[in-house]
C-alpha cells in the first residue's frame, strides 16, 4: 500500500438488533444478484422456489452452494430428495420468478413453463439461461437458513438471452 493512501474509518452507529437487521437487509438490497429457480423432485415431492443466494464454490468437482430458508415450503422436499436443479432466469422470466418467490401453490408454480429432466429428476426449465442439476452433498447450519453444498452432475446451457438481476428490490435486465 502506498504511504500516501488514506483509509477513512467510519464510526459505526450504535443500533438495536432490529435496526441492525434492517440495516443489513437494506445493504443486501444493494447487492445485485442473478435470479434462479431452484427445483426438486423425488420421494419427498415436487417443489421449487426463487433464489438469489446461489454461489459457485469450486470447479473441482463442480460445486455450488444454495441457501434455503428452513421455513420455506420447499424445505422438506429438498432435504428429503437430496437433489436440486438451479435454473438461472432470463429477462423473460420475471412473472415466473414472482410465482416461485411468492405464496403460489406448488402445482401452479410449475404451470405455464416447459420443464425437462436431466440427471437427477429435478425439473430443468427448458429456456433457462443455464440449468445446473445437482446432488446435495452436505448441509450446514446457517441459522434461519441451511447452506446446501451441491455437486453439479449435469449442465444445460441456452445460448443468448439477457440475465434477470434483482437489485434495489426490483428486477432488472442486463
Ligand atoms: C428475488 C428473490 C430471491 C429469493 N432468494 C431466496 C434464497 O436465496 N433462499 C431462500 O430460501 N428463499 C429465497 N427467496 C424466497 C423464496 O423464493 C420464498 O420463500 C418462497 O418461494 C415463498 O415461500 P414459500 O415457498 O414458503 O411459500 C427469494 C425470493 C425472491 C423473490
Amino acid at each position: 500500500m502506498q504511504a500516501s493512501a488514506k483509509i477513512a474509518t467510519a464510526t459505526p452507529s450504535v443500533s438495536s438488533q432490529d435496526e441492525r437487521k434492517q440495516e443489513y437487509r437494506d445493504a443486501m438490497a444493494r447487492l445485485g444478484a442473478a435470479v434462479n429457480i431452484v427445483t426438486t423432485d423425488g420421494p419427498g415431492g415436487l417443489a421449487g422456489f426463487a433464489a438469489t443466494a446461489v454461489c459457485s464454490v469450486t470447479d473441482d468437482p463442480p460445486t455450488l452452494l444454495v441457501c434455503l430458508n428452513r421455513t420455506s415450503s420447499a424445505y422438506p422436499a429438498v432435504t428429503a430428495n437430496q437433489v436440486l436443479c438451479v435454473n438461472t432466469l432470463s429477462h423473460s422470466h420475471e412473472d415466473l420468478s414472482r410465482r416461485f418467490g411468492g405464496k403460489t401453490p406448488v402445482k401452479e408454480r410449475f404451470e405455464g413453463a416447459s420443464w425437462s429432466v436431466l440427471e437427477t429428476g429435478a425439473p430443468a426449465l427448458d429456456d433457462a439461461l443455464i440449468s445446473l442439476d445437482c446432488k446435495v452433498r452436505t448441509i450446514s447450519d446457517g441459522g434461519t437458513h441451511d447452506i446446501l453444498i451441491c455437486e453439479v452432475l449435469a449442465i444445460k446451457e441456452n445460448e443468448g438471452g439477457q440475465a434477470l438481476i434483482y437489485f434495489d428490490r426490483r428486477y432488472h435486465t442486463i
Side-chain angles (χ1 to χ4, degrees), residues 56 65 110 125:
S56 173
L65 70 77
F110 285 88
L125 178 64

Side-chain angles (χ1 to χ4, degrees), residues 49-53 67-69 71-74 100-103 109 145 166 171:
F49 62 103
T52 48
C67 297
L68 172 58
N69 195 320
T71 64
S72 162
S73 65
F100 278 81
K103 292 290 170 191
R109 291 185 193 192
H145 287 59
Y166 201 66
Y171 290 97

Side-chain angles (χ1 to χ4, degrees), residues 34-51:
V35 185
N36 309 276
I37 288 175
V38 178
T39 65
T40 190
D41 201 4
L46 173 70
F49 62 103

